[in-house]
Amino acid sequence: MDAIKVQVILFWAAVTVYVAATCLNLIAIIFRKPNLTNFSPYLAVIGFLPHTAGIILRWMQTGHFPYWGKYEVFNSYAWAFILLYLVLFLIKRELKVTGTVLFPVAFFMIGIALTGSKETTEIPSTFLTYWLGVHVAFAKLAYGSGLISAFFGGLYLWRAGKSNTDSGEDVPGWVPSLDFCDFYTYRFAVFAFICMSIMIGAGAVWAYKAWGRYWGWDPVETWSLVSWFVYGTLLHLRVTMGWRGKRGAWLSIIAVFIVLFSYFGMPLIYDTVHEHLEL
């Protein structure tokens, strides 16, 4: 059995576990059984093991961390999001609720990855640099953090909406308090902004080494800067004008859609030097 077939089997094994974790979370939400989410971290570990093995095999096969083409990019993003989930769970057990969004995003990303070409291609030597590694790593952290910030923003709006109804319907037990959601909407937005700053800075250094210029107003570069400004504006409005609660929640949701458009939408619309993002 060749390396690609083994990778595909390992990735499908990970998808199966992440789907099971997603279903478990949905059952906990629909039937109001919050204790079921206690099994989510264990499922995450079970799925993460074959997922990691597949990433390592691909790395050994190509000689570089998986960041080129749909098959590698989406698989590595899914892996980074599950790793982020596990780290957050270890830091604070209550953050296991982030699996509600990270599990389905991860298995959809792997599913998309598996539709891409799995053949290895020779990449330019300029891509095999330390600064590109830093750029890619912090991009994953930035986008994962932005997604979680928007998730807590959405939870805040949901819980606030239920609290304002006259139906008397109880808020599901798995939904954190308004203060908890507001706190982490802001904290993850801060982390996303910091990671995005490092991502852009490292990308500029790498661009200079690769093309002899720090900035070229490439569409992906430009919209990454737009995303950075959006998060900077979000944080500025919160700190200086007290935009918290519902306004902060809506801003976090808008911000993550801009991020998703800048990273995944722009390469579909315009030609870009970020050809490794080609879908």
Side-chain angles (χ1 to χ4, degrees), residues 8 29 53 59-60 75 79 125 134 144 154 159 165 184 190 211 240 253:
V8 170
I29 294 169
W59 195 337
M60 293 172 62
N75 263 319
W79 178 85
S125 59
V134 175
R159 179 159 192 137
T165 61
Y184 283 105
V190 171
W211 302 304
T240 63
I253 294 171

Side-chain angles (χ1 to χ4, degrees), residues 59-261:
W59 195 337
M60 293 172 62
Q61 181 188 17
T62 61
H64 63 81
F65 184 79
Y67 55 68
W68 190 275
K70 185 199 302 187
Y71 177 65
E72 296 183 10
V73 168
F74 279 85
N75 263 319
S76 60
Y77 263 94
W79 178 85
F81 287 176
I82 298 300
L83 176 62
L84 180 61
Y85 167 81
L86 292 172
V87 171
L88 292 176
F89 173 73
L90 291 175
I91 293 172
K92 190 175 183 65
R93 296 299 176 90
E94 290 84 351
L95 290 175
K96 68 178 182 292
V97 70
T98 58
T100 307
V101 65
L102 293 179
F103 286 136
V105 168
F107 81 68
F108 271 120
M109 280 190 161
I110 299 175
I112 293 172
L114 291 172
T115 66
S117 173
K118 303 166 187 64
E119 298 302 319
T120 59
T121 57
E122 186 175 351
I123 64 175
S125 59
T126 53
F127 280 77
L128 303 175
T129 67
Y130 166 81
W131 287 106
L132 179 60
V134 175
H135 175 70
V136 170
F138 278 93
K140 298 181 190 305
L141 286 174
Y143 300 154
S145 300
L147 181 63
I148 294 173
S149 175
F151 169 69
F152 279 117
L155 284 184
Y156 182 95
L157 294 172
W158 184 30
R159 179 159 192 137
K162 283 187 171 293
S163 299
N164 292 332
T165 61
D166 298 325
S167 63
E169 183 180 7
D170 294 333
V171 176
W174 67 274
V175 181
S177 68
L178 286 175
D179 287 342
F180 185 96
C181 292
D182 182 63
F183 179 84
Y184 283 105
T185 297
Y186 173 63
R187 288 300 184 273
F188 279 104
V190 171
F191 191 60
F193 179 75
I194 293 171
C195 291
M196 212 171 286
S197 301
I198 298 173
M199 174 195 78
I200 292 173
V205 175
W206 166 62
Y208 180 78
K209 292 180 176 295
W211 302 304
R213 49 83 171 168
Y214 289 104
W215 195 264
W217 298 107
D218 175 76
V220 172
E221 291 176 355
T222 303
W223 275 89
S224 294
L225 186 62
V226 170
S227 301
W228 181 81
F229 273 118
V230 169
Y231 275 98
T233 302
L234 185 161
L235 301 181
H236 175 74
L237 290 173
R238 167 125 184 171
V239 172
T240 63
M241 299 183 65
W243 278 40
R244 60 183 69 236
K246 288 185 178 181
R247 287 184 294 189
W250 277 115
L251 283 174
S252 69
I253 294 171
I254 293 170
V256 82
F257 275 106
I258 293 175
V259 166
L260 292 174
F261 175 74

